Amino acid sequence: MWPRNYKWLCCVAGLLHLPAHASCEVSEKALLGAWESVNAQGFFEVFELHANHRFDSWLHDRPEIMGATWQFKQCELTIVESKTFIFRYQVKLNRNQLLLKDTQQHNGVVGVYQKVKQ
């Protein structure tokens, strides 16, 4: 009986040590487009992720950050405007909503965004 239980325990322990990026179910293509805040918790009011990795945002219908760059890797979205302005978010896509959790803030605030219909 011990060998069978031992094998099961080894399998469970192996699953617990899977890398964090193995569970990412968000594709870069799904992030493309314009997104608008729906809960006023996120840093951006409206932003757009372009296919050429350009990032633009608007605040009160006026340009805020224009021509920044973005990268998506292992469910982390990194936006770089300059050497001093770097945003890092853990990303989840929940149906039609994009959830961005700031990895540099430890307050647990999550920005919720909905895709802008064009």
Side-chain angles (χ1 to χ4, degrees):
M1 187 154 170
W2 169 252
R4 187 179 309 159
N5 288 341
Y6 179 71
K7 288 179 183 177
W8 179 83
L9 184 60
C10 287
C11 290
V12 170
L15 290 174
L16 293 175
H17 291 288
L18 285 175
H21 65 273
S23 64
C24 185
E25 297 178 8
V26 181
S27 71
E28 187 173 292
K29 186 177 180 179
L31 298 177
L32 297 179
W35 297 88
E36 181 174 28
S37 177
V38 295
N39 72 342
Q41 295 293 319
F43 184 83
F44 306 105
E45 187 175 294
V46 177
F47 68 90
E48 185 168 4
L49 299 170
H50 301 273
N52 64 357
H53 290 259
R54 178 182 162 167
F55 174 88
D56 298 319
S57 71
W58 295 266
L59 180 62
H60 309 302
D61 296 322
R62 293 179 177 226
E64 180 182 30
I65 298 173
M66 305 305 281
T69 59
W70 66 275
Q71 178 183 15
F72 183 68
K73 188 175 184 179
Q74 299 175 355
C75 272
E76 184 172 273
L77 175 65
T78 304
I79 301 163
V80 179
E81 181 189 15
S82 66
K83 290 181 181 180
T84 57
F85 248 165
I86 299 174
F87 303 93
R88 286 191 174 85
Y89 297 100
Q90 195 66 32
V91 175
K92 288 187 182 179
L93 197 56
N94 185 10
R95 296 187 184 172
N96 296 328
Q97 292 187 330
L98 179 67
L99 309 173
L100 298 181
K101 181 178 181 188
D102 192 333
T103 60
Q104 297 168 332
Q105 304 274 337
H106 299 290
N107 55 10
V109 174
V110 176
V112 180
Y113 297 88
Q114 191 142 358
K115 201 157 228 186
V116 175
K117 296 178 183 176
Q118 296 180 0

